[in-house]
Structure formats: structure tokens, C-alpha cells
């Protein structure tokens, strides 16, 4: 009974800390309103010309080649869905490390690390903020795209898609922790982000079907959480043929989540401890 | 001894035993090891206001950061109320109120209230309790009027008050205050000192570790003081005990209207040093000598024809005098780069 109460109050403390970190990030972000608005609109400005370019190349939004490869022909919906997941991947690779770097720059990282919450709680608040930010961005993009094109999806596919996305976000949290640890030790931690980002970007079948990748890359892609996100989302929403069942996808994603989260937490903890030994926590 | 504020003394609030902290800088041939803490030991009983006094680079901040779990020492142990800060760090962080030196420890783009809300959540406060606590602290520190303004518009004294409020949010048992009045104008400095002594220590009974390189601050506030120099605790005493450490020296302080000629004084028997400070038409002379009584009448005789005497006092040596006497370093010195 007593132990239960302690757990409950601890849970409440940590949940409150996650939420407070999220709120604080929003408030900081919204102090620069113009930058914020630009950040929301920029991605659309990049995406739209590509969609139009694709339509021009194919001669319409329906591609027979795509139909042959994956069982669905609508390139607009295909690419838009892929693009949504690029956003998630980018977020995992950059957002958390960037937030930590910002704290170092403000000088607030030590104040935060002196507080009685484990590091993962704090970083979870950061990723909650970036997920919400990402969702807002997706909403804006979809509004813009809908103004030009119609998107044809199967509404029944939304539920399994959200399930897959939820699990994928757990794995991305692990990747985010892993990436963020580099910002603690390298002044140029972003170089690591850049390298990993390029690799993962190629491996993730965003604008193309998995089938166009060489065989070994197809294998490697199966270790990247966003692959399952994209493929199952497109499967349920627009009928892309996939080589695994929903259960397979969920099972593998669960496994990947476990691996990435364990790995991310471990690397972060080791590096964070190292910075407290070296006295470089507050350096930027 | 029955003391109403601490009926149960329990373990010491803080115990540092032989703490060593090395910083390695540079690479290859230029590699240099800095011994920031070189076996520092101290014990602070619950309820004490304890001062750590030492020059720039002595290791004060490093010790505070080790206690606050922001640095991991190379060796030695640190216990807070009997709990090891390394193995039991979440527990210890919950009981520490930390005020770090340096200005940028809050979000300048946010208001005082938003800053406090955020940190309150990290310390486990929520809902109405949290809001009440924040209101109480804002009121206590005289910040209510400006609470919703961004910190970037605050003066550094006001920012320091917000930092202090942040340190107090969770009603911690021990406060670590690293140079709390550094760089503040005198009015704020006085307020903060008074607040630390009267409100936090006397009234709320908090244990306080305060670092400073101002000897007046240590002298005025602290129950006990440790001298720290080059990473070592040189001695720990009460301010009065420290001043008795310098044998055979007294300071005669004479205040007079106008500016007297002091050459005659320097030739009086036994006077070793004459300092004169002229301000607002009043001169304050500090004469250092083994025994003030012996020359008192001669000093008066010499000065009376020249100026009007306002007061004569025999003063104890200051902590600064003692620090120099014990370490050979002045408190104003910068010992940062000499340490190896
Ligand atoms: N993170 C760090 N990395 C490398 N060296 C450091 C670091 N922090 C402190 N030092 C060095 O350790 C020594 C002790 O520094 P510390 O900041 O503890 O002194 P201090 O007593 O707080 O001085 P001050 O009055 O300047 O605040 C100095 O020589 C300093 O240069
Ligand atoms: Mg310092």
C-alpha cells in the first residue's frame, strides 16, 4: 500500500516533469513567432515542387510502374505519406540533440540536471515536444497539399496506422537518445547526426518502394523503425503490397523499440557520466 | 543542547571526506592536469550557516558542483544527511537547493513565473500546491509585481532573486549558495545577505553552505568558516576564533574630519603600517601594531592640533588579514592558472 503510494507519487512527479519540459519548449519556441511560422511552412515549399515535378514526369498522378512494383499507382499520396515519415525520422535524429545543445547554450543544462529527475524523463519531455511539433507540421503540410491535390486514403486504415506509428515513436525515442548523447561530448555532434541521417534516409523507402533498393539494403532497411512505419501506413491507407503481416510489423517494431531504447539509454547514461567526470557538462 | 529548530541532530547535513577532483585539459604534449580539489574535507552539522572562503580558482565552485552531483570526484566521499551523493543522487538532489554562480542559469526568454513553474515540476510540485508555493516565494522576495515579465528585462539583482526562489521551490533542507552576491549592486547584495541569514537560516532553520571571496560576507553571515586555497581546506573556525589566530597584532582605527599629515605617525614606536582612506571629508586611518594601548596617547597628541577627531577604536584583525597570515595568498588573488 505504502509502496504503491510512493510509486504513484513518483509517476506523477515524472509525468509532470515530462509535461513541464514540453510546455517550456513550446513557450521558448513561440517567443520567436516568425521563425516558428517559417519552420511550419518551409517543408511544404520544398515538397510541392517535387510533387508537381513527379506529376509532370509521369504524365499524371497515376504511375503504371508504381502499380507494378507495389500494387498502387497514386504517386501523390505515395510520396506525401513517405514525406510525413521523413519528418518523424528527422525529428528523432535532430530534435533532441538540438534541444540539449540549446540548454547548454542558454546555460540552463546544469540547473536542469541538478533536479531530482532521471535524464530519460527530461529527454522524454523534449521528444514529446518534438512529436507534437511534428504533428502540427504534418497537419499544416496536409492542408497545403489538399489545396492542390486530393489525397485518396482508406479511412479504415487509420487505426492500424496509428498503432504502428505509436510503436515507431518509441523506437525513435531510443534513436533520439543515442543521437543526443553525441551533442554532450562533441562540439560538432551534428556531424554524427548528419552521417547517420544520410544512411537512414537512403534506407528508408520514402519516395520509392523498398523493392528498388539493392537486396542487402533491403535487409538493412528492416532494422530501421521508420521502414515499418512507412510500409504499413501505405499498406493500410493505400494498398501498397508488403511482404509481412501487421502482426509481423508490430512484433518487429516492438523488438526494434526495445533494442533502440535500451541502446539509446545506455549510451546516453555512459556519455553523460563521462561528461560529469570530465567537467564538460556545461561547455558548449 | 536542546535547540528548538533541530530537536534531532541526526547525521551531519553534509560531510565531505578527502574529495579530489582533477581536470584534464589539452592533449598530447600540452596536456595539463589541474588539481581543482586536492583532498578537501569538511563537516556541516544540521542548521549551520557555513562559509567557504577563498580566492578565485581555490576550488569553491568545483566543490559545490561535486556536492550537487554535477561533477563526479576522482576520489573521496560526499554524504548528505548520511546518503552518498553518487549512489543516492536522486534523493540528494531532492534535498539540495542549488544557487550556482554565473548569471545564465534561468531561461531569459521566459517570465519569472514560467521559469519557476518549470523547475517546480522538475522538483515534483504540481497543481495548487505548486502555484501557492510560487506565489509565496515571489511575495517573499518582492518579485510579485514583475513576475510575468521576461527575465531579460530584469536587473542582475532581480535575476539573482529569481534564482534564489528557484533554489527554494521544493523547500530543501540544505542550500548550496555559490557566490550569492557576486556582481550585485550593494542594495541587492545587502538584501540577499540579510535574507540568507535572517529568513533562511534563523527563521527557517536551513543548513547553508555559502561560498564567497568577500571576507565581510563570510564574517557577517557565517557561524563557521573554512578557508579554502588551492583545492585544500586550510582551516575551519568561527570568525572570532580565526581572528585570534594572528598573535600580537592590533589595529587602531581613527576617524577624523579633514586630511591629517600622517608622516609623523609612521615614525611612532611600534607602528608597522599606516593605511589612510579619505572619503566624504572624513579620513579613516588604520594603524597596525602589536599593542594599541601603548601609542594611543601619542597618536591623539599628534593628530589633535591638525584635525577634529571623530572616534578611535581598537579593531580586531579582519579575516583577510588572517587568510594572508595562514596561506600567504590574498583573497583578491587569482589562483586559477598557478595550480598544477
Ligand atoms: N570544467 C572545468 N574544466 C577544467 N578546469 C576547470 C573546470 N572547472 C574548474 N576548473 C579549474 O579548477 C580550478 C578551481 O576552479 P573553481 O571554479 O572551483 O574555483 P572557485 O574557487 O570557484 O573560483 P572563482 O572565485 O573564480 O569562482 C581552477 O583552476 C579552474 O580553472
Ligand atoms: Mg566559483
Amino acid at each position: 500500500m505504502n509502496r504503491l503510494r510512493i510509486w504513484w507519487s513518483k509517476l506523477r512527479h515524472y509525468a509532470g516533469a515530462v509535461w513541464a519540459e514540453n510546455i517550456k519548449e513550446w513557450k521558448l519556441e513561440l517567443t520567436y513567432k516568425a521563425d516558428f511560422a517559417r519552420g511550419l511552412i518551409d517543408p511544404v515549399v520544398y515538397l510541392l515542387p517535387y510533387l508537381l515535378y513527379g506529376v509532370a514526369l509521369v504524365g499524371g498522378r497515376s504511375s503504371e510502374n508504381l502499380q507494378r512494383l507495389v500494387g498502387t499507382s497514386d504517386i501523390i499520396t505515395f510520396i506525401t505519406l513517405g514525406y510525413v515519415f521523413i519528418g518523424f525520422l528527422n525529428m528523432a535524429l535532430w530534435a533532441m540533440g538540438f534541444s540539449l545543445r540549446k540548454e547548454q547554450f542558454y546555460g540552463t543544462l546544469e540547473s536542469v540536471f541538478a533536479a531530482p529527475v532521471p535524464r530519460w524523463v527530461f529527454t522524454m519531455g523534449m521528444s514529446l515536444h518534438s512529436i507534437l511539433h511534428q504533428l502540427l507540421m504534418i497537419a499544416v503540410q496536409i492542408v497545403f497539399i489538399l489545396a492542390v491535390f486530393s489525397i485518396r486514403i482508406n479511412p479504415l486504415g487509420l487505426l492500424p496506422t496509428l498503432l504502428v506509428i505509436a510503436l515507431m515513436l518509441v523506437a525513435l525515442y531510443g534513436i533520439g537518445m543515442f543521437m543526443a548523447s553525441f551533442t554532450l561530448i562533441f562540439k560538432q555532434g551534428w556531424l554524427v547526426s548528419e552521417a547517420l541521417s544520410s544512411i537512414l534516409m537512403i534506407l528508408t523507402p520514402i519516395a520509392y518502394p523498398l523493392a528498388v533498393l539493392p537486396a542487402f539494403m533491403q535487409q538493412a532497411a528492416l532494422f530501421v523503425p521508420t521502414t515499418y512505419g512507412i510500409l504499413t501506413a501505405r499498406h493500410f491507407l493505400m494498398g501498397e503490397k508488403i511482404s509481412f503481416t501487421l502482426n509481423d510489423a508490430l512484433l518487429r517494431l516492438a523488438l526494434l523499440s526495445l533494442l533502440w531504447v535500451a541502446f539509446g539509454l545506455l549510451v546516453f547514461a555512459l556519455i553523460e557520466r563521462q561528461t560529469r567526470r570530465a567537467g564538460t557538462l556545461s561547455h558548449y | 543542547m536542546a535547540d528548538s529548530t533541530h530537536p534531532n541532530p541526526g547525521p551531519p547535513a553534509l560531510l565531505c571526506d578527502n574529495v579530489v577532483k582533477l581536470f584534464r585539459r589539452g592533449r598530447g604534449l600540452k596536456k595539463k592536469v589541474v588539481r581543482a580539489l586536492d583532498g578537501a574535507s569538511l563537516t556541516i552539522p544540521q542548521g549551520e550557516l557555513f562559509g567557504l572562503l577563498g580566492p578565485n580558482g581555490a576550488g569553491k565552485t568545483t566543490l559545490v558542483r561535486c556536492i550537487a552531483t554535477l561533477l563526479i570526484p576522482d576520489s573521496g566521499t560526499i554524504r548528505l544527511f548520511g546518503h552518498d551523493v553518487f549512489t543516492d543522487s536522486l534523493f540528494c538532489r531532492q534535498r539540495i537547493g542549488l544557487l550556482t554562480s554565473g548569471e545564465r542559469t534561468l531561461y531569459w526568454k521566459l517570465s519569472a513565473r514560467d521559469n519557476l513553474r518549470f523547475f517546480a515540476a522538475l522538483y515534483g510540485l504540481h497543481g495548487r500546491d505548486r502555484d501557492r508555493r510560487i506565489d509565496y516565494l515571489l511575495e517573499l522576495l518582492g518579485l510579485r509585481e514583475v513576475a510575468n515579465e521576461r527575465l531579460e528585462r530584469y536587473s542582475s539583482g532581480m535575476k539573482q532573486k529569481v534564482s534564489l526562489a528557484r533554489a527554494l521551490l521544493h523547500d530543501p533542507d540544505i542550500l548550496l549558495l555559490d557566490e550569492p552576491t557576486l556582481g550585485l549592486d550593494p542594495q541587492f547584495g545587502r538584501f540577499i545577505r540579510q535574507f540568507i541569514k535572517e529568513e533562511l537560516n534563523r527563521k527557517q532553520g536551513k543548513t547553508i553552505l555559502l561560498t564567497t571571496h568577500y571576507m565581510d560576507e563570510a564574517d557577517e553571515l557565517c557561524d563557521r568558516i573554512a578557508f579554502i586555497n588551492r583545492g585544500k581546506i586550510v582551516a575551519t573556525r568561527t570568525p572570532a576564533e580565526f581572528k585570534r589566530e594572528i598573535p600580537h597584532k592590533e589595529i587602531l582605527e581613527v576617524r577624523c574630519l579633514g586630511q591629517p599629515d600622517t608622516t609623523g605617525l609612521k615614525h611612532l614606536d611600534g607602528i608597522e603600517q599606516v593605511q589612510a582612506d579619505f572619503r566624504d571629508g572624513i579620513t579613516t586611518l588604520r594603524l597596525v601594531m602589536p599593542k594599541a594601548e601603548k601609542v594611543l596617547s601619542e597618536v591623539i597628541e599628534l593628530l589633535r592640533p591638525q584635525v577634529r577627531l571623530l572616534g578611535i577604536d581598537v579593531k580586531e584583525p579582519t579575516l583577510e588579514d588572517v587568510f594572508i597570515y595562514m596561506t600567504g595568498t590574498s583573497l583578491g588573488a587569482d589562483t586559477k592558472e598557478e595550480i598544477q
Side-chain angles (χ1 to χ4, degrees):
Chain A
M1 190 61 217
N2 207 13
R3 175 162 287 180
L4 204 69
R5 190 163 319 136
I6 291 173
W7 273 104
W8 172 242
S9 87
K10 200 169 239 178
L11 187 72
R12 199 159 167 190
H13 176 176
Y14 291 175
V18 168
W19 188 248
E21 165 62 21
N22 163 49
I23 294 291
K24 182 214 73 194
E25 285 286 306
W26 279 109
K27 281 184 178 155
L28 283 176
E29 196 164 36
L30 287 170
T31 54
Y32 302 96
K33 294 209 174 53
D35 285 349
F36 179 73
R38 236 192 51 202
L40 285 183
I41 294 168
D42 267 0
V44 191
V45 177
Y46 290 123
L47 177 62
L48 274 178
Y50 279 105
L51 289 180
L52 293 167
Y53 178 61
V55 171
L57 269 189
V58 174
R61 64 182 285 172
S62 169
S63 155
E64 272 170 38
N65 216 10
L66 194 64
Q67 174 74 41
R68 207 160 5 93
L69 278 168
V70 299
T72 175
S73 65
D74 176 5
I75 55 168
I76 297 294
T77 312
F78 188 84
I79 294 177
T80 301
L81 283 176
Y83 198 69
V84 163
F85 284 84
I86 274 200
F88 279 122
L89 187 58
N90 260 326
M91 167 196 88
L93 293 173
W94 297 98
M96 208 188 283
F98 187 66
S99 300
L100 271 179
R101 172 58 93 234
K102 244 179 10 197
E103 299 281 344
Q104 275 181 323
F105 178 73
Y106 294 150
T108 43
L109 191 63
E110 287 210 330
S111 316
V112 166
F113 276 14
V117 284
R119 309 297 185 232
W120 62 263
V121 170
F122 180 64
T123 52
M124 194 174 269
M126 285 178 166
S127 58
L128 177 62
H129 161 259
S130 45
I131 288 168
L132 294 178
H133 187 126
Q134 199 59 42
L135 290 177
L136 182 66
M137 246 157 88
I138 290 171
V140 171
Q141 286 164 20
I142 288 183
V143 167
F144 271 87
I145 290 167
L146 281 181
V148 184
F149 301 103
S150 61
I151 289 180
R152 297 161 203 153
I153 57 166
N154 172 12
L156 287 180
L158 280 173
L159 198 68
T161 303
L162 289 178
L163 204 65
V164 169
I165 289 181
L167 210 51
M168 179 190 77
L169 288 177
V170 177
L172 290 184
Y173 172 69
I175 295 185
M177 283 291 274
F178 173 68
M179 298 311 304
S181 16
F182 292 104
T183 50
L184 288 179
I185 38 169
F186 300 134
K187 290 226 166 61
Q188 276 123 343
W190 48 269
L191 284 178
V192 184
S193 302
E194 194 113 56
L196 198 71
S197 159
S198 316
I199 297 172
L200 291 185
M201 246 10 139
I202 296 171
L203 288 182
T204 308
I206 286 155
Y208 41 81
L210 198 55
V212 304
L213 286 176
F216 79 95
M217 281 168 93
Q218 289 191 35
Q219 295 297 316
L222 293 178
F223 287 92
V224 184
T226 31
T227 305
Y228 296 96
I230 293 179
L231 293 180
T232 41
R234 282 198 300 228
H235 172 72
F236 286 108
L237 294 174
M238 58 182 304
E240 176 170 358
K241 281 185 293 202
I242 52 176
S243 58
F244 45 81
T245 66
L246 177 64
N247 275 344
D248 284 343
L250 290 178
L251 199 73
R252 289 188 212 170
L253 263 180
L255 208 67
L256 278 180
S257 300
L258 210 67
L259 285 176
W260 272 113
V261 169
F263 184 64
L265 287 177
L266 180 75
V267 172
F268 192 89
L270 288 176
I271 290 182
E272 189 265 349
R273 183 166 295 187
Q274 173 53 32
T275 62
R276 283 194 288 147
R277 288 226 151 85
T280 51
L281 194 59
S282 55
H283 293 188
Y284 66 87
Chain B
M1 247 199 351
D3 186 333
S4 63
T5 44
H6 336 97
N8 171 21
L14 177 68
L15 180 133
C16 298
D17 185 28
N18 213 0
V19 179
V20 175
K21 179 74 212 162
L22 309 176
F23 290 114
R24 290 163 187 82
R25 276 192 286 201
R27 271 164 207 277
L29 287 176
K30 282 201 218 137
K31 195 163 171 174
K32 208 174 112 181
V33 176
V34 178
R35 273 185 178 270
L37 290 175
D38 193 9
S41 301
L42 54 85
T43 306
I44 305 180
Q46 295 187 25
E48 188 169 68
L49 206 174
F50 187 95
L52 198 57
L53 182 64
N56 286 125
K60 305 180 294 293
T61 301
T62 304
L63 185 59
V64 167
R65 290 167 76 208
C66 285
I67 300 165
T69 74
L70 295 172
L71 280 175
I72 302 174
D74 293 66
S75 66
T77 44
I78 303 175
R79 292 177 165 274
L80 210 86
F81 301 97
H83 295 254
D84 188 289
V85 294
F86 183 67
T87 55
D88 221 352
S89 52
L90 288 183
F91 171 90
C92 291
R93 285 184 203 145
Q94 184 75 51
R95 302 192 77 173
I96 292 174
L98 177 66
L99 180 75
T100 44
S101 58
E103 285 216 306
R104 315 210 66 185
T105 60
L106 294 160
Y107 301 94
W108 286 19
K109 292 276 166 206
L110 300 183
S111 69
R113 193 181 291 282
D114 284 341
N115 269 287
L116 293 178
R117 279 209 178 123
F118 168 65
F119 283 104
L122 295 190
Y123 283 89
L125 278 74
H126 43 74
R128 211 170 292 153
D129 286 346
R130 175 192 70 176
D131 292 339
R132 232 181 273 134
R133 181 76 186 158
I134 291 174
D135 283 335
Y136 165 76
L137 289 170
L138 288 171
E139 184 74 51
L140 191 66
L141 285 155
L143 290 167
R144 232 195 29 194
E145 240 80 294
V146 289
N148 296 323
E149 282 191 36
R150 284 193 199 167
L151 292 197
E152 57 191 354
R153 306 215 185 100
Y154 283 33
S155 69
S156 47
M158 276 157 63
K159 284 193 201 107
Q160 189 70 338
K161 284 184 174 183
V162 182
S163 300
L164 201 53
R166 197 249 326 262
L168 294 169
L169 277 170
H170 54 300
D171 199 13
D173 299 311
I174 180 168
L175 286 163
L176 307 178
L177 309 177
D178 192 12
E179 312 238 19
T181 61
L182 186 70
L184 302 188
D185 50 33
Q187 173 207 346
F188 276 109
R190 224 173 303 127
F191 174 88
I192 300 267
R193 284 177 197 187
Q194 171 126 16
F195 186 81
I196 291 170
K197 177 96 186 169
E198 298 303 325
E199 175 68 30
L200 298 179
N201 183 244
R202 294 247 167 92
K203 214 163 133 201
Q204 303 190 13
K206 299 209 181 298
T207 311
I208 298 173
L209 170 64
L210 172 144
T211 83
T212 181
H213 64 266
Y214 301 133
M215 59 142 193
D216 289 335
E217 184 164 289
D219 198 358
E220 179 191 333
L221 298 180
C222 300
D223 301 325
R224 274 193 317 143
I225 295 170
F227 281 173
I228 182 168
N229 196 35
R230 288 155 214 255
K232 286 199 172 77
I233 305 287
V234 182
T236 308
R237 318 247 195 289
T238 66
E241 283 168 354
F242 262 129
K243 290 175 199 158
R244 273 182 249 129
E245 287 280 326
I246 301 192
H248 324 305
K249 269 210 187 144
E250 281 179 357
I251 286 147
L252 189 67
E253 197 181 272
V254 184
R255 296 192 329 124
C256 52
L257 265 183
Q259 275 184 293
D261 178 12
T262 57
T263 41
L265 291 173
K266 284 177 187 149
H267 297 123
L268 286 181
D269 200 26
I271 293 191
E272 294 168 9
Q273 205 189 336
V274 179
Q275 300 166 7
D277 181 31
F278 181 69
R279 210 177 292 168
D280 301 331
I282 294 172
T283 304
T284 308
L285 297 168
R286 281 170 70 83
L287 315 174
V288 184
M289 72 206 77
K291 204 81 196 132
E293 260 172 54
K294 284 191 183 158
V295 290
L296 190 56
S297 55
E298 290 169 76
V299 169
I300 295 174
E301 239 163 68
L302 242 167
L303 291 174
R304 203 152 46 187
Q306 304 183 47
V307 288
R308 201 173 127 210
L309 295 179
L310 297 173
I312 297 182
D313 243 332
V314 178
K315 293 252 159 147
E316 296 178 306
T318 63
L319 285 178
E320 166 107 48
D321 299 326
V322 189
F323 196 91
I324 296 172
Y325 181 78
M326 292 180 92
T327 65
T329 312
S330 117
L331 282 174
D334 189 342
T335 58
K336 267 202 179 106
E337 293 310 320
E338 317 165 10
I339 307 171
Q340 270 300 327

